[in-house]
Amino acid sequence: MSFGFRVTNQADQVQIDGDYSNLAFITKGTVNPTTRFGIGNASSMYYANVTLTGVVAPVIALRASGSNRVTLYNVFDEGGGQFICQIVSENQGAPIEYYVFDVSENHLIGGGQYGLVVADAAGEKRYDSRFKSFRVVDFLHYPSLEATDSQSYSVEKIGVVCGRVSRRYRAEIVGAQPIVQGYLFSMAMMLSTPTAASLSISQGVIWAFVTDNPESFYFTQFIVDNSYFMVVDLTGF
């Protein structure tokens, strides 16, 4: 930026200027997944869909209650600013908090509020102090689905963004003739937030399918090995 307004921190890192737009906190809510995955006749976790409207590039941070494990399993772009987010829970009906962030220039705040608005040379809003900003505490990368981890942070409250969640199918044949069964497992990386400022990461079985005719097994091998998470500061949200 050759001219304009710029704010830096003590490390000389740019916090606000006329070129960069941070994500802004838009809304939050609680969802209680109660619907089982229909494909799993042996076991299944539970999911709920959260529909977001009027957003452009939403980012969702999750918090689970206690030891419950959760993950953002799918995000469907329906077009026209509508997204459907499929949130999975290990425990039926357990509350999951979600926090939605989006680019602030696509959202308005009602009148009567004072603050600082920074625009670029074309007049597009790049910063609005009336919105709470997206504050990243940590980036986490796990190259294998078998990875496990626990972390604690010095902020009061965290949320976890599922940037990319590793998942795979695993098949097993159990028993011997004349009784043979085939099992198919759908597995994915999951998270928990056992305290306000801590998290745990581990794999979970989203659903399992069993058949007495394992010769009929046929499925597309779908493996995503790398998981990426962002830890964000939700203090005061």
Side-chain angles (χ1 to χ4, degrees):
M1 185 177 69
S2 59
F3 62 90
F5 179 82
R6 173 176 289 168
V7 176
T8 59
N9 63 13
Q10 291 180 335
D12 201 33
Q13 297 169 326
V14 174
Q15 303 298 294
I16 306 168
D17 70 8
D19 297 324
Y20 172 73
S21 178
N22 193 7
L23 296 175
F25 171 64
I26 304 303
T27 188
K28 65 179 180 179
T30 301
V31 65
N32 304 78
T34 56
T35 303
R36 293 176 66 97
F37 280 93
I39 195 171
N41 65 353
S43 65
S44 174
M45 291 192 182
Y46 305 87
Y47 74 90
N49 291 334
V50 173
T51 300
L52 307 177
T53 59
V55 292
V56 175
V59 172
I60 299 178
L62 300 178
R63 282 193 54 81
S65 57
S67 61
N68 185 36
R69 296 190 298 170
V70 303
T71 193
L72 181 61
Y73 196 63
N74 285 304
V75 177
F76 304 100
D77 185 351
E78 301 293 292
Q82 178 171 299
F83 292 79
I84 297 176
C85 304
Q86 189 176 63
I87 300 174
V88 172
S89 171
E90 186 173 37
N91 297 322
Q92 184 179 23
I96 302 172
E97 299 174 29
Y98 64 90
Y99 298 78
V100 181
F101 298 83
D102 197 16
V103 286
S104 64
E105 51 262 40
N106 295 286
H107 299 274
L108 299 175
I109 287 184
Q113 299 188 37
Y114 297 92
L116 172 69
V117 176
V118 178
D120 61 17
E124 293 291 331
K125 182 173 65 174
R126 293 304 179 194
Y127 174 77
D128 189 332
S129 67
R130 298 170 297 178
F131 288 95
K132 295 178 180 178
S133 297
F134 188 71
R135 303 191 298 268
V136 178
V137 176
D138 199 3
F139 292 94
L140 302 174
H141 169 224
Y142 305 100
S144 170
L145 182 59
E146 283 73 33
T148 60
D149 191 20
S150 295
Q151 298 284 344
S152 296
Y153 299 93
S154 59
V155 298
E156 292 183 13
K157 182 178 179 180
I158 63 165
V160 184
V161 176
C162 300
R164 174 179 173 180
V165 176
S166 60
R167 60 179 71 181
R168 70 173 50 171
Y169 295 122
R170 191 184 81 212
E172 293 182 5
I173 294 179
V174 179
Q177 294 292 350
I179 302 175
V180 179
Q181 290 184 313
Y183 287 84
L184 178 62
F185 301 92
S186 174
M187 310 181 72
M189 194 68 95
M190 307 190 74
L191 66 98
S192 64
T193 49
T195 67
S198 69
L199 64 84
S200 294
I201 301 290
S202 60
Q203 65 175 325
V205 177
I206 303 300
W207 53 259
F209 179 82
V210 61
T211 177
D212 293 328
N213 182 24
E215 293 181 357
S216 67
F217 266 15
Y218 177 79
F219 60 92
T220 302
Q221 185 72 3
F222 179 48
I223 298 177
V224 178
D225 278 332
N226 286 275
S227 290
Y228 298 91
F229 298 91
M230 279 191 295
V231 183
V232 296
D233 184 0
L234 296 179
T235 302
F237 282 63

